[in-house]
Amino acid sequence: MKYYGLTDIGKRRATNQDYFKIEQVGSCLIATVCDGMGGANGGSYASENACNIFMSENENSLADVTDIDSIPKILHKSIDKANSYIYKTSLKDKSLSGMGTTIVSSVIIDNCLFTLNIGDSSIYHFDGEKIKKLTKDHSYVQALLDAGDISAEEFKHHPSKHILTRVLGVEQNVDADITMYPINSGQLLMCSDGFSNYLDSERYLKKTLTSNKSIEEKTRLLIDYANKKGGVDNITVVLIEF
């Protein structure tokens, strides 16, 4: 298994509020991407600290894990720690008031993938032919799509796509979606919405992922693609190849 990640400020933002981390912990690989919000300082603080706290808690708990059925409980506990810290800090420090962050995480162990999601950062699986999104956005337009009020095409370009219904750190408690998938082949793509918002066409993504280029080159090409398409937001891409 190979893995690599990059984050980029994009073309329009003054600061990068994205943050990611990848760690090998015992027999587990853990990768996490966060996209902060709440002003320049608040967004950066929330994404970096939430990611580091979440990863640190998981590193401590997953180092010697033998029962994969215990992993969802471990992930929920780690999210609670990260959410509590960001929420309490935002109440104490007025300059950080209202800050929060999205978070997506992948835990891979024994041909099993556990995905965790809060917000609208995303995880995709590419099996060599089809690209499947493994996470569902916690957003206003996702709710409209689920209710049948808008089409999948309208979803892609809806003006309220940025309105989130669930974010880490803005409330005392937060629920994370955690799902388990069997996996032993293909590629995982984890990203902030600074990349996924440009996935109107999957042609370039498939072309890049099926190329003979190194995982580092593929990641850089995907970052460059989002910047060439406008780069209106920070861009983070993590690739994992089985």
Side-chain angles (χ1 to χ4, degrees):
M1 185 162 50
K2 298 178 182 179
Y3 49 88
Y4 189 72
L6 283 174
T7 187
D8 189 271
I9 195 171
K11 297 294 186 182
R12 306 284 184 86
R13 298 298 176 93
T15 59
N16 191 347
Q17 298 183 20
D18 286 2
Y19 193 85
F20 78 94
K21 198 169 185 179
I22 311 170
E23 295 285 350
Q24 186 77 47
V25 182
S27 58
C28 295
L29 178 71
I30 314 171
T32 300
V33 173
C34 292
D35 179 0
M37 59 205 68
N41 293 332
S44 300
Y45 186 96
S47 62
E48 180 175 353
N49 284 275
C51 185
N52 284 329
I53 292 169
F54 176 76
M55 291 289 284
S56 178
E57 289 294 321
N58 284 321
E59 289 164 16
N60 292 335
S61 300
L62 293 174
D64 301 311
V65 70
T66 56
D67 179 13
I68 64 171
D69 291 336
S70 67
I71 290 179
K73 183 177 180 180
I74 291 171
L75 294 177
H76 279 299
K77 182 179 179 182
S78 299
I79 276 292
D80 289 344
K81 286 287 186 70
N83 185 76
S84 179
Y85 177 83
I86 299 302
Y87 177 71
K88 289 179 180 178
T89 302
S90 71
L91 297 180
K92 295 176 184 177
D93 189 337
K94 290 184 178 180
S95 68
L96 300 175
S97 178
M99 68 175 172
T101 183
T102 71
I103 184 168
V104 287
S105 188
S106 296
V107 176
I108 302 164
I109 179 173
D110 295 339
N111 294 328
C112 289
L113 164 68
F114 291 87
T115 64
L116 177 146
N117 175 46
I118 298 172
D120 65 349
S121 293
S122 304
I123 302 174
Y124 300 85
H125 179 246
F126 179 54
D127 65 5
E129 295 183 1
K130 296 180 179 179
I131 296 170
K132 180 181 179 182
K133 187 172 182 178
L134 302 183
T135 53
K136 179 179 284 191
D137 294 351
H138 299 130
S139 67
Y140 171 67
V141 292
Q142 182 68 59
L144 292 178
L145 180 64
D146 292 344
D149 294 332
I150 61 172
S151 67
E153 190 62 31
E154 289 173 318
F155 171 85
K156 294 178 182 179
H157 307 286
H158 200 284
S160 299
K161 195 174 181 182
H162 64 286
I163 300 175
L164 302 183
T165 56
R166 202 184 303 180
V167 181
L168 186 152
V170 299
E171 295 182 355
Q172 189 170 1
N173 298 294
V174 67
D175 290 326
D177 291 344
I178 298 175
T179 308
M180 191 276 283
Y181 301 91
I183 192 166
N184 56 18
S185 63
Q187 299 174 68
L188 280 186
L189 166 67
M190 304 173 61
C191 60
S192 60
D193 67 338
F195 179 79
S196 61
N197 282 340
Y198 292 114
L199 281 181
D200 290 346
S201 170
E202 296 178 349
R203 179 183 297 180
Y204 183 82
L205 179 57
K206 290 180 178 179
K207 179 182 177 182
T208 302
L209 294 181
T210 55
S211 72
N212 293 324
K213 297 182 182 299
S214 69
I215 191 170
E216 293 85 0
E217 290 176 300
K218 291 177 183 179
T219 307
R220 170 48 64 188
L221 285 171
L222 295 178
I223 294 282
D224 290 345
Y225 171 79
N227 272 321
K228 288 175 182 176
K229 295 285 283 186
V232 299
D233 201 352
N234 307 143
I235 310 157
T236 299
V237 172
V238 169
L239 282 182
I240 302 171
E241 295 182 341
F242 296 91

